[in-house]
Amino acid sequence: MRWLRGGLSVVLTACLCWWASEASAAVLLTDNFSDNNYTSNPAWTVGSGVFAADGSNIGNFYGDEAGAGMLAFGTAAGTKIYLGLPEVAPESTMTIDFDLFQSNYAAPNDYRFTVALYNREKDSYYYITGYLYVGAFGTGGGASGFNSWTTTGQIKAGAAGRAMLNGWQHVQLTFNPSEGVSMYYGGNLVSSFTNYGGFDSIDELRLANSSGTLSWFADNVVVSGTPVPEPSSMAIVLGGGAVAACRRRRGRR
């Protein structure tokens, strides 16, 4: 029976990888804060600071940015919030889209916003920090307003000539265990790096008004990926795989 257990383990791994490659990506979670609420459907967890989604004026706003139906960040340094992420099929890509708004900086400066992807098993995370001026990292033509960390613990500058901007901008994050992390801001690739921590998955999105002072807003959050197969579907796949494994074993006798 030992060979059967080993064979089925191989089959299970192969089937899950096949499912991830063949199944289509789907929208797994959304939040446009139309209920004026960030505590349910889905529930966000406040790490520190003050948040609002009902239009409460908790920051330094200009114009009518403090409207309901968007997630507003308070202006204290280290204001941060977390969103638990759905599970996706092994070795598949998770994509996180959202809109990010900065309302009130008048000139380039070192205020920053941080986006992090957390893994519970490792109790660790990858993060990308965006500054409001291009010269935050690097020099000359390689200057960038974005950075992450390398495997050696050194700061890695992002794409040259890119920085955070005023107004609404679209953010897209992708994670794949074999390919690593990429972040697009306003349609431009601003940071990418390998999965140097060996994460199998990403469990949580973390957003932070790292420097404080300025007002930030998030909206239209969409998480996409290849869903984990339903038990009934996987039973069919495994059934066929188990038969194939047994036939291969008999053929070697």
Side-chain angles (χ1 to χ4, degrees):
M1 292 299 293
R2 185 178 304 166
W3 68 266
L4 181 58
R5 288 195 298 269
L8 287 178
S9 176
V10 172
V11 170
L12 175 59
T13 302
C15 288
L16 288 173
C17 291
W18 171 86
W19 182 276
S21 63
E22 294 295 323
S24 299
V27 173
L28 305 177
L29 181 152
T30 64
D31 196 355
N32 62 7
F33 305 99
S34 59
D35 57 359
N36 300 336
N37 192 332
Y38 63 86
T39 61
S40 62
N41 302 317
W44 294 70
T45 301
V46 174
S48 62
V50 178
F51 290 84
D54 61 359
S56 299
N57 192 323
I58 59 173
N60 302 319
F61 308 137
Y62 295 139
D64 61 356
E65 292 89 3
M70 64 183 77
L71 180 66
F73 289 68
T75 56
T79 295
K80 51 193 173 185
I81 196 166
Y82 312 143
L83 175 65
L85 299 173
E87 186 178 3
V88 297
E91 299 302 320
S92 65
T93 298
M94 173 179 283
T95 302
I96 304 168
D97 290 90
F98 62 95
D99 296 323
L100 185 66
F101 185 91
Q102 198 292 306
S103 70
N104 59 337
Y105 86 91
N109 52 53
D110 62 356
Y111 295 120
R112 63 190 188 273
F113 190 88
T114 299
V115 178
L117 299 175
Y118 177 74
N119 177 279
R120 292 192 184 97
E121 181 182 1
K122 301 283 187 179
D123 190 22
S124 184
Y125 53 86
Y126 295 132
Y127 75 84
I128 300 168
T129 299
Y131 286 72
L132 291 166
Y133 75 108
V134 172
F137 295 94
T139 58
S144 177
F146 293 89
N147 79 89
S148 57
W149 290 95
T150 67
T151 54
T152 58
Q154 301 298 312
I155 291 176
K156 174 186 176 182
R162 302 294 179 187
M164 286 285 191
L165 302 172
N166 202 348
W168 284 107
Q169 301 293 329
H170 185 71
V171 178
Q172 183 180 82
L173 297 158
T174 63
F175 170 79
N176 183 290
S178 61
E179 298 171 7
V181 178
S182 294
M183 175 172 162
Y184 292 81
Y185 180 76
N188 299 297
L189 178 64
V190 295
S191 185
S192 63
F193 46 89
T194 63
N195 181 16
Y196 57 80
F199 292 7
D200 292 327
S201 62
I202 294 297
D203 305 312
E204 196 170 69
L205 171 67
R206 298 185 170 190
L207 304 176
N209 182 2
S210 300
S211 297
T213 304
L214 302 184
S215 297
W216 296 88
F217 304 85
D219 202 358
N220 301 319
V221 180
V222 179
V223 180
S224 306
T226 302
V228 176
E230 295 290 338
S232 58
S233 300
M234 185 50 66
I236 295 173
V237 174
L238 288 176
V243 170
C246 289
R247 285 177 177 169
R248 287 195 295 272
R249 176 65 181 178
R250 290 185 185 125
R252 288 195 293 268
R253 288 179 176 176

